[in-house]
Amino acid sequence: MVNKKLAVQFALAIAIICFLVYKANPLKVVAALSKTNPLWLLTAIALFIFINLFVPFGMKLFFNPISNIKLRKWLKYYIYTISASQVIPGKIGDFILVYFLKKEGIKTGESAALIILDKLIVILVALVLAAIGIKVLLVESTIYWGIIGAVILLTGGILVISPPGTALIRKIIGKYSSKFPGFSMAIKRMVLQHSPRLFLNLVMIVFRFFLLSVYFYSIFRGMGISAPILIMMPLFAITAITSLIPLTPNGLGVRESVGLVLFGKIGVGTEIAISAYLIDLTLNYLLASLGLYFFIKNKELARLREERQSN
């Protein structure tokens, strides 16, 4: 049943991407891709690699209060998580990280708590940036909805760490609460004892949106288009929020649909925008394939070691 549902979601995502390419005119898309400047493309690839090194580095800093995992392992687990995220609806695949951290002796409740806290900060940053984007790209009055959303999210975050909030979470989890030991304590400890680390994480998340904008700026420059980097930051914040909708794997198709509309607001043609997304998708799926390859290889090596030990 799950596989059938996943297949339907993938089919929907591919159908959306195909429709977007058709709408942009396939010949124009091919022309834009074929004329991409190799130097700018290499710059974009270098930035893509840097971003995917920067993220696990930030995760290591954020998780240091409950773990002392080496950066090399964080990079490995991050790539594994990326691989899973490409086939799981919305951003649910990010919680696969809990499975790998459990192998390092970290309680599931602690790792889940920090992942949720990190996601709350990401959404908070995205809401604030999105509110700015709505003001710039759409209607000025709608910025208040973004501010209201940010206030609601911040209030929700405070409630999560309060005694009534943690009690409510335990009640919701019910009989599964024993599988999430240390959840509420991990959040409280992070907020009360490591607040500077939370602020650092917030700054690094803002910087991630900046890096993402520079990355796409490089792709656009390779196609002969110059898009404003600072304006693209709130644009990507809006698409990040829409990709949370668990309609397709990792928001595939949904994110690109919204992105094309928003890029059009800053003068980026449909064929250029979808071409840039196709380059980004190619790099992301190459990274996911690499993660899947190393995961299978490590599983096989572990199996061989067990066989040798048994013999």
Side-chain angles (χ1 to χ4, degrees), residues 213-226:
S213 299
V214 176
Y215 162 60
F216 265 80
Y217 172 83
S218 300
I219 298 176
F220 288 144
R221 282 303 305 269
M223 297 178 185
I225 298 293
S226 181

Side-chain angles (χ1 to χ4, degrees), residues 183-305:
F183 181 89
S184 58
M185 286 304 299
I187 292 182
K188 286 182 179 179
R189 188 166 62 247
M190 197 69 183
V191 173
L192 299 177
Q193 300 177 15
H194 302 282
S195 52
R197 197 176 294 272
L198 286 174
F199 179 74
L200 176 62
N201 190 54
L202 185 147
V203 172
M204 294 183 78
I205 288 169
V206 173
F207 189 58
R208 272 160 54 182
F209 278 110
F210 174 75
L211 287 175
L212 183 60
S213 299
V214 176
Y215 162 60
F216 265 80
Y217 172 83
S218 300
I219 298 176
F220 288 144
R221 282 303 305 269
M223 297 178 185
I225 298 293
S226 181
I229 294 174
L230 294 180
I231 295 297
M232 283 196 289
M233 286 179 66
L235 185 153
F236 285 120
I238 296 172
T239 58
I241 293 170
T242 58
S243 67
L244 294 173
I245 302 171
L247 183 64
T248 60
N250 202 30
L252 180 63
V254 177
R255 175 182 56 248
E256 288 76 13
S257 299
V258 175
L260 259 62
V261 173
L262 296 176
F263 278 127
K265 296 287 184 179
I266 60 174
V268 178
T270 305
E271 72 279 3
I272 299 296
I274 191 62
S275 297
Y277 271 122
L278 289 175
I279 291 173
D280 178 56
L281 286 173
T282 300
L283 293 175
N284 273 291
Y285 277 99
L286 283 174
L287 179 62
S289 300
L290 186 67
L292 181 61
Y293 167 76
F294 281 115
F295 179 75
I296 294 173
K297 184 179 179 181
N298 286 338
K299 280 280 188 181
E300 183 64 21
L301 289 173
R303 186 184 65 80
L304 290 173
R305 280 195 295 268

Side-chain angles (χ1 to χ4, degrees), residues 57-299:
F57 174 70
M59 291 167 66
K60 174 176 170 53
L61 292 180
F62 190 63
F63 275 78
N64 266 350
I66 66 168
S67 71
N68 192 25
I69 302 173
K70 292 182 179 179
L71 181 59
R72 184 177 176 182
K73 275 195 173 182
W74 268 115
L75 179 60
K76 181 175 72 172
Y77 294 153
Y78 168 73
I79 294 176
Y80 289 169
T81 305
I82 285 290
S83 301
S85 297
Q86 299 302 326
V87 297
I88 297 178
K91 292 293 182 181
I92 302 172
D94 293 344
F95 287 90
I96 295 294
L97 183 61
V98 173
Y99 165 77
F100 297 112
L101 294 181
K102 188 177 181 181
K103 290 185 173 183
E104 300 295 329
I106 301 173
K107 295 177 181 178
T108 54
E110 291 182 333
S111 56
L114 264 64
I115 290 172
I116 290 172
L117 199 54
D118 176 67
K119 296 306 171 190
L120 283 173
I121 296 173
V122 171
I123 296 172
L124 178 61
V125 169
L127 279 173
V128 174
L129 288 175
I132 296 171
I134 290 171
K135 175 179 171 62
V136 174
L137 300 174
L138 301 175
V139 184
E140 183 174 352
S141 61
T142 53
I143 187 174
Y144 298 113
W145 289 107
I147 295 172
I148 290 170
V151 171
I152 291 172
L153 183 67
L154 184 60
T155 304
I158 294 171
L159 288 174
V160 166
I161 65 171
S162 66
T166 52
L168 178 62
I169 290 171
R170 283 195 297 269
K171 188 175 180 180
I172 293 171
I173 295 175
K175 64 179 181 179
Y176 300 104
S177 59
S178 60
K179 297 184 179 180
F180 295 91
F183 181 89
S184 58
M185 286 304 299
I187 292 182
K188 286 182 179 179
R189 188 166 62 247
M190 197 69 183
V191 173
L192 299 177
Q193 300 177 15
H194 302 282
S195 52
R197 197 176 294 272
L198 286 174
F199 179 74
L200 176 62
N201 190 54
L202 185 147
V203 172
M204 294 183 78
I205 288 169
V206 173
F207 189 58
R208 272 160 54 182
F209 278 110
F210 174 75
L211 287 175
L212 183 60
S213 299
V214 176
Y215 162 60
F216 265 80
Y217 172 83
S218 300
I219 298 176
F220 288 144
R221 282 303 305 269
M223 297 178 185
I225 298 293
S226 181
I229 294 174
L230 294 180
I231 295 297
M232 283 196 289
M233 286 179 66
L235 185 153
F236 285 120
I238 296 172
T239 58
I241 293 170
T242 58
S243 67
L244 294 173
I245 302 171
L247 183 64
T248 60
N250 202 30
L252 180 63
V254 177
R255 175 182 56 248
E256 288 76 13
S257 299
V258 175
L260 259 62
V261 173
L262 296 176
F263 278 127
K265 296 287 184 179
I266 60 174
V268 178
T270 305
E271 72 279 3
I272 299 296
I274 191 62
S275 297
Y277 271 122
L278 289 175
I279 291 173
D280 178 56
L281 286 173
T282 300
L283 293 175
N284 273 291
Y285 277 99
L286 283 174
L287 179 62
S289 300
L290 186 67
L292 181 61
Y293 167 76
F294 281 115
F295 179 75
I296 294 173
K297 184 179 179 181
N298 286 338
K299 280 280 188 181

